[in-house]
Amino acid sequence: MAETNTQEAVQINLTINGKQCTGTRGQTILDVCKANDIHVPTLCHCEGLKPVGGCRLCIVEIEGQRRLNTACTTPATDGMVIQTETPRLHDLRKRTLELLFAERNHICPFCPASGSCELQQSGYDHGMTHVRYGYLLPRLEIDNSHPYVALDHNRCILCSRCVRACDQWVGAHTLDLCSRGSLTQIAADNGVPLGESSCVSCGMCIEVCPTGALFDKISNRVIGRQEVPSTASVCTTCGLGCWTSVKTRGRSLLQISSGKGPDNNQIICKRGRYEALKVANRPALKQPRLKKAGEWADVEWDAFAEELAKRITSGKAGADRSRVAALVSPSLPLETIAMVRQFFKDVIGSERIGWADGPELTSVARAFGMNGKSGPLARMSDLEDSDLVVAIGVDLQQAAPVAASAVRRVVNARTAQYVELNPRLTDLSVLSSYRIATKPGRDSVVLGATLRTMVQRNLIQANGAAGAIDDLPDTAEPMFEAATGVAVEQVVRLASLIAGARRPIFVIGSGLTAQGEEAVESVINLAVGGNYFTEDGRYRILEIPRKANTAGARLFGHPEFTMANFDFAKTDVLLMFLGDDEPIWPDGWLEKARPMVHVSVFASHTQPACEIAHSVAPLATWAQREGTFVSLEGRVQKAAKLLDLPVGVQPDAEVLAAIAKAMGKSFKPDVEANLPGGVKVAEGQFVPTAEPAGQIVTCKSKAQGAKSRG
Amino acid sequence: MTPTELEQLQKRAAEALSLRLQKRQVKSNGKPAERVLLICAGGACISCGEAPVWEALEKELVRNNLHDTVHMVQTGCMSACDMGPLVIVRPDNILYQHVKPEDAARIVQQHMLRDEPVTELMYRPHPEADPIPNPDEIPFFSKQVKIVLETCGIIDPENIEEYIAMEGYAALAKAVSAMTPQQVIDEVKASGIRGRGGAGFPTAIKWQMLHNAPGSEKYIICNADEGDPGAFMDRSVLEGDPHRVLEAMALAAYATGASKGFIYVRAEYPLAIRRLQIALEQARRYGLLGRRILGSDFSFGIEIRVGAGAFVCGEETALMASVQGRRGMPRPRPPFPTDSGIHDKPTSINNVETFASIPAIVRRGGKWYAGIGTEKSTGTKVFALAGNVNATGLVEVPMGTTLREIIFEIGGGIPGGKKFKAAQTGGPSGGCIPAEHLDLPLDFDSLQQIGSIVGSGGLVVMDEDSCMVDVAKFFMDFCVDESCGKCPPCRVGTKQIYKTLQKICDGKGSEDDLAILDDLCDVLRSSSLCGLGQTSPNPTMSTLRHFRDEYEAHIKGHKCPAKVCKQLLTYIINLEKCTGCSLCARNCPTDAISRIDGQRKYVIDQDKCIHCGKCHEVCRFAAVAIE
């Protein structure tokens, strides 16, 4: 593993198998061999995991060394003379392989990994035709308790790749080794069945397993042994935008694996691997439907379009097109969103396009003054170098498991502490060195008081308008504890924890952002007041958005409304364009929508909204269309089209064109012109970032019109 | 405390100890003479009843109103373990062995009151020989040279002042007040001492590397995870003289720039742990550990880490993992601990016995130490002498002493007039040395040449009744259990070798199995990750090398020459001796023994016999013969 070093790379020269090779200091012999196209057999080595030198296959001869060394662990040094392929080495490797084959049940014809097994391949590579030692074959129980992962100890070679991935990548450390010698086994937690363990079901252990010991119960039976090509894509189950590698066959999605990235991220989570797969393969809407006399009837596209056109062009809506509104889900790709917006403006003639999402979509955009740009927010990589993670109103394991893993990693490595502000316990609460159960909706008061305490106790040099400090909430106020549920000492402790950190990062989620702009501002104030900025001038605040394209949706500018402030009275016809996931419906929202003249739902699956709708039209699932997504970091990424559309389902553009046609108009989508300007960067690049504010904002300063943001 | 204060304390303390150090006859002069009873409280003596002896003596002294005149001291191991419980009376310098509580009255009334030593309790080379009252004249003691065990068995390990009286901490005082760290390393270098843990790596080189390593955070570790079956020298040092190790660790820290130390001791040594805790607490209180030691700028603290009973944790990289609370598994080197150890910081790990040699080296000079032993293996080595030998226990001899001297002079030869067959050194990592090498000087290099190692110093003597295949199997069984499971050669290879040896012992071996054994031993030696795996084939390889005929006898002749492997034995009833009592038949688990028709004699059906040996065991007339 090449270490990322700020120092300049020092070149070293080695002789490997008589060939002159170059490498850089810090590389292992195996790194140098790989870079120079010299194959060294390995089993326990896995790119991205710390090498352990366990399997003994990568042993090499180094001139002047009495013993054989493992290429994966031995640092390469200048002038080394190495042999990687001598008859002696070949013979020892082959005998080690024979020992492995003799140890447990490695009878390939019955193994799910046959054909893609690294042990099997090594056997072939070494010309192993039979085993000369006696078979030990202990009968070990198969752990089939987990819904997604099966663990067959009989096929395990104890390379510890799963153990290391679970620890070093996922941070869960659910897996480890137990017992010793020939009795050694992989164990979950303290030897409980995997299904009852602390496993987060990310499935990374399966990905790294070189044999068939850990296998995917969902995908394994559908993949079979044929080589299936993979397509690179991005995950759309949350706003993180992890990269994926997807296997498909015909109209079904077989398997989703980690695409390793971006930012050196190695993992995907349970949602990205299994739930997205379930979504893509579950029964979908196949045909438009109309509700006639309370009964649903499948209709042709023309009939659907005509009915909808009739509702839009007649009645109050026909006279006043602003009575036609759209709610678009931020989990849809930018292209779909852009087309709907164009359709609404050009064809329907209504500007009322809002988001099928909670208030956080706007509160964050306004507080950070995004206005068509991406917020000056921290990125996932900033989490890794922080020394204090303050999670406010977010259950990371639920909201974004990959971000939870990043927190677990830094806490496990003892490079950072974890502090939580949440009314409820979360999956990460056990990691927290301090947690405060604020009353719901009171975070901004607690955070404001925390900043005030930090300044008043001289824990920090107040940055920005020091005068504004007096306008912040005060713990000395008589009702403070009663109002917030937080005692003064707790605020003081939180203040000293934050002030004691050099690089704190504030991770905020919908629990805070849904409280509105002011709540978000209280965190910004902390960052400004304590001068917590990244080196390139972004706030050390990481927002965990709820939807795949929340960050992309905000680029369309400040929207008028979300579901939270939707004006039912002003609407007769509502078109809802939903993604594969469900919006979080505000309390009673659907009931309030029921009396409308016409509600039309566009979705890939039957959703609760269909129940109150008058018409329903099928849309493609995430896997059936290509699309652009903007990650929480503002990175523009493309999700690939992985599957063909099923018969009966139309591409988004054609759906809209059909409605336009029924209205007697034509619709020619011009996605390019309707995409927000910011995303017109090369794929993988970041959209432009808004400038961070320089001073603390309080109610008073806002009232005085000294608004410095947005 | 300053070095001067330490010196004054030493003088005062030595005075208090003077009675114990004198060796002269004393006479009661009107009133009983002042004496001191040194009572061995080493592990062996405790387990054979030291505590009741102590109580009985104490009671007897009180009863005779002698408790102010005759002092009692509980010492560390006196090393002659099979003589226990041991009592040495000073200044008379008389040794009593196998003392029982009922002997207390005689010792007190006869010896303490009337100056007449109890001859019945004195050591005799054999039952008819004259007793030898003076331990210095007993060959077991007289042939030894004590550096590591210098004060073990003389001082009370729970009293720091007794260690100080014996010039304890003088080396540390000398170092911090008058030597530079480099000078300390140079002194150790001059001594030529090599690590006593097994590998024999020169200690000074290790320290020099740690000294030269960059950074200020460095660690010293004392490896007290003594796990070889039969070896107990480290335990005896920790139990009998814990301050010696603490002083040496402080010296190492001073020499190398380390500021923190760990003692990794196995949980199976509770007494050692307790005495270490007492010693640590005392040393801190006396300013000999902690901040600004002996008034200098040097600070050093030690923590105890208790191992959970894994042999592999004696391997330094596994030990470090365990110290840090992780699973005790070794990792490949490089990086070596002196570059990256505890918390990835430079670390030096030395064995208990190595440390225990250091204070004397710094105090008396490396040259003095180098004068003992051989040129390339200097100093002394403590062996744990065990097995078929008359005198067992700890034996400290100069390196280069021959096996013959240790076994036949110090150990008093083989009991029952049996023939010496082999000596096993180095435990599961070592090999078996046959009689032809009895005159081989025991040192690091010569042992390696004949396929064994000094190891930590286990020395098991075997007579003609030992089966060498069985011995190899025993040690391989140990390695199968103790392999950590990380690398396949060790995890699977040890098991494969064990199964092959088992097959041979069961008489089911073939000629191919010897080739398989050679082959497996080679994989283990060459491909294993750590020392445990690399050396685990040594017992098998050395017996294959020196006793191949025994293996062949098992395979080709289906015979175990030493009559150990039960599956290869044939039990036959000698009809002339058989009285027809039927005891054998009634005890046979497989009903293989039946009465011969018409006779009061019994016979064994060889097809049914499972070779359990029960018939041989129960027969009162020696009628069951083994062939």
Side-chain angles (χ1 to χ4, degrees), chain A residues 52-56 59 66-70 73-75 88 91-92 95-96 99-100 102-103 132-136 157-158 176-182 184, chain B residues 309-311 327 329 331-335 480-489 491-493 495-496 499 516 518-520 522-523 525-529 534:
Chain A
V52 291
C55 73
R56 316 309 290 171
I59 44 171
R66 202 163 47 92
R67 293 218 157 269
L68 304 171
N69 290 69
T70 39
T73 58
T74 311
R88 169 84 178 142
D91 181 47
L92 282 170
R95 285 192 270 166
T96 301
L99 284 171
L100 280 173
E103 185 184 19
R132 287 167 300 158
Y133 315 121
Y135 286 100
L136 303 175
I157 56 167
L158 298 167
D176 210 325
L177 298 168
C178 71
S179 302
R180 65 183 182 216
S182 54
T184 311
Chain B
F311 179 66
R327 182 176 158 93
M329 287 207 296
R331 60 155 177 82
R333 296 166 297 187
V480 167
D481 268 355
E482 295 295 344
S483 164
C484 80
K486 180 169 175 176
C487 75
R491 181 179 76 231
V492 196
K495 186 105 183 173
Q496 291 284 1
K499 286 199 118 181
I516 288 277
D518 285 333
D519 171 283
L520 285 165
D522 179 49
V523 184
R525 204 168 46 95
S526 312
S527 288
S528 294
L529 196 164
Q534 287 160 6

Side-chain angles (χ1 to χ4, degrees), chain A residues 36-85:
Chain A
N36 287 277
D37 282 333
I38 296 165
H39 173 73
V40 179
T42 56
L43 272 180
C44 68
H45 184 76
C46 182
E47 209 62 56
L49 292 175
K50 283 184 198 152
V52 291
C55 73
R56 316 309 290 171
L57 281 198
C58 70
I59 44 171
V60 294
E61 291 171 7
I62 303 170
E63 211 173 271
Q65 303 255 328
R66 202 163 47 92
R67 293 218 157 269
L68 304 171
N69 290 69
T70 39
C72 69
T73 58
T74 311
T77 54
D78 198 40
M80 259 187 181
V81 180
I82 301 162
Q83 293 292 334
T84 69
E85 278 303 332

Side-chain angles (χ1 to χ4, degrees), chain B residues 220-502:
Chain B
I220 291 284
I221 297 178
C222 171
N223 184 347
D225 192 48
E226 186 175 49
D228 284 10
F232 57 98
M233 59 288 289
D234 293 351
R235 191 194 69 206
S236 295
V237 170
L238 295 176
E239 286 177 2
D241 203 359
H243 285 286
R244 185 170 296 267
V245 177
L246 303 189
E247 182 185 5
M249 287 179 74
L251 281 166
Y254 177 73
T256 58
S259 56
K260 174 129 198 200
F262 292 99
I263 302 177
Y264 187 81
V265 53
R266 55 199 307 232
E268 293 91 330
Y269 286 177
L271 183 62
I273 295 167
R274 194 168 64 88
R275 293 210 171 131
L276 274 172
Q277 281 163 341
I278 294 170
L280 274 176
E281 201 268 321
Q282 288 177 341
R284 284 187 203 121
R285 195 147 39 85
Y286 278 68
L288 298 164
L289 281 178
R291 301 192 67 77
R292 304 183 61 82
I293 290 168
L294 286 161
S296 71
D297 287 336
F298 167 58
S299 300
F300 177 63
I302 298 177
E303 268 182 46
I304 299 174
R305 285 283 187 277
V306 178
F311 179 66
V312 74
C313 285
E315 207 285 335
E316 59 182 14
T317 55
L319 185 150
M320 291 189 305
S322 182
V323 163
Q324 294 171 88
R326 297 202 293 262
R327 182 176 158 93
M329 287 207 296
R331 60 155 177 82
R333 296 166 297 187
F336 288 93
T338 44
D339 293 323
S340 174
I342 297 284
H343 303 315
D344 301 330
K345 298 287 186 247
T347 304
S348 168
I349 302 177
N350 297 103
N351 167 265
V352 170
E353 198 186 328
T354 314
F355 275 127
S357 310
I358 297 294
I361 290 173
V362 175
R363 210 168 60 229
R364 302 171 72 166
K367 249 193 195 146
W368 158 79
Y369 190 84
I372 302 163
T374 65
E375 193 196 334
K376 285 192 172 159
S377 303
T378 57
T380 59
K381 174 80 194 94
V382 184
F383 289 96
L385 190 60
N388 305 124
V389 61
N390 277 315
T392 61
L394 290 184
V395 177
E396 185 172 3
V397 288
M399 282 279 188
T401 306
T402 65
L403 257 185
R404 189 182 299 280
E405 284 173 90
I406 296 176
I407 297 169
F408 290 94
E409 293 179 24
I410 297 174
I414 316 292
K418 296 214 168 141
K419 251 175 71 188
F420 169 83
K421 186 175 208 171
Q424 210 279 349
T425 63
S429 308
C432 292
I433 305 167
E436 66 201 79
H437 292 304
L438 265 176
D439 291 310
L440 191 81
L442 289 183
D443 63 47
F444 290 113
D445 307 302
S446 63
L447 277 176
Q448 197 141 32
Q449 274 169 23
I450 57 161
S452 187
I453 59 165
V454 173
S456 60
L459 180 52
V460 183
V461 182
M462 288 171 282
D463 67 15
E464 53 191 307
D465 290 343
S466 305
C467 166
M468 301 317 282
V469 187
D470 186 63
V471 168
K473 194 182 80 176
F474 168 82
F475 283 112
M476 196 45 73
D477 188 25
F478 180 85
C479 292
V480 167
D481 268 355
E482 295 295 344
S483 164
C484 80
K486 180 169 175 176
C487 75
C490 176
R491 181 179 76 231
V492 196
T494 52
K495 186 105 183 173
Q496 291 284 1
I497 294 179
Y498 176 77
K499 286 199 118 181
T500 311
L501 291 171
Q502 179 76 59

Side-chain angles (χ1 to χ4, degrees), chain A residues 12-29:
Chain A
I12 50 171
N13 299 302
L14 302 87
T15 311
I16 306 178
N17 302 342
K19 182 183 153 191
Q20 292 301 315
C21 300
T22 56
T24 45
R25 192 178 290 165
Q27 282 186 309
T28 63
I29 294 176

Side-chain angles (χ1 to χ4, degrees), chain B residues 180-201:
Chain B
T180 63
Q182 188 59 51
Q183 281 173 325
V184 176
I185 295 177
D186 290 343
E187 206 63 73
V188 175
K189 194 172 190 176
S191 78
I193 185 170
R194 294 166 64 176
R196 263 47 177 166
F201 190 80

Side-chain angles (χ1 to χ4, degrees), chain A residues 315-466:
Chain A
K316 278 201 266 180
D320 177 4
R321 287 293 164 85
S322 75
R323 297 192 70 81
V324 182
L327 283 170
V328 186
S329 166
S331 53
L332 289 167
L334 286 184
E335 288 80 355
T336 307
I337 300 172
M339 274 190 277
V340 172
R341 291 171 67 89
Q342 186 197 345
F343 173 79
F344 249 67
K345 284 175 191 154
D346 296 356
V347 179
I348 296 183
S350 166
E351 297 274 329
R352 288 191 58 213
I353 310 153
W355 298 106
D357 200 22
E360 66 267 27
L361 195 115
T362 45
S363 68
V364 171
R366 286 182 195 281
F368 284 99
M370 288 183 184
N371 205 13
K373 289 181 174 177
S374 131
L377 285 156
R379 296 179 179 159
M380 288 289 287
S381 51
D382 296 316
L383 238 177
E384 308 272 351
D385 88 326
S386 59
D387 58 353
L388 177 75
V389 181
V390 186
I392 308 159
V394 60
D395 185 340
L396 276 175
Q397 189 64 49
Q398 300 303 322
V402 171
S405 283
V407 173
R408 288 178 200 270
R409 284 197 298 267
V410 289
V411 174
N412 290 349
R414 302 199 179 144
T415 53
Q417 283 185 296
Y418 175 68
V419 172
E420 199 172 71
L421 267 77
N422 204 315
R424 283 178 295 274
L425 286 173
T426 71
D427 288 347
L428 291 191
S429 294
V430 284
L431 294 184
S432 62
S433 42
Y434 195 59
R435 78 178 304 278
I436 295 178
T438 38
K439 274 193 182 169
R442 297 300 174 152
D443 293 296
S444 65
V445 180
V446 176
L447 292 171
T450 304
L451 176 59
R452 190 188 178 109
T453 308
M454 285 163 73
V455 175
Q456 280 178 345
R457 299 197 167 215
N458 287 323
L459 299 174
I460 52 165
Q461 291 291 318
N463 192 33

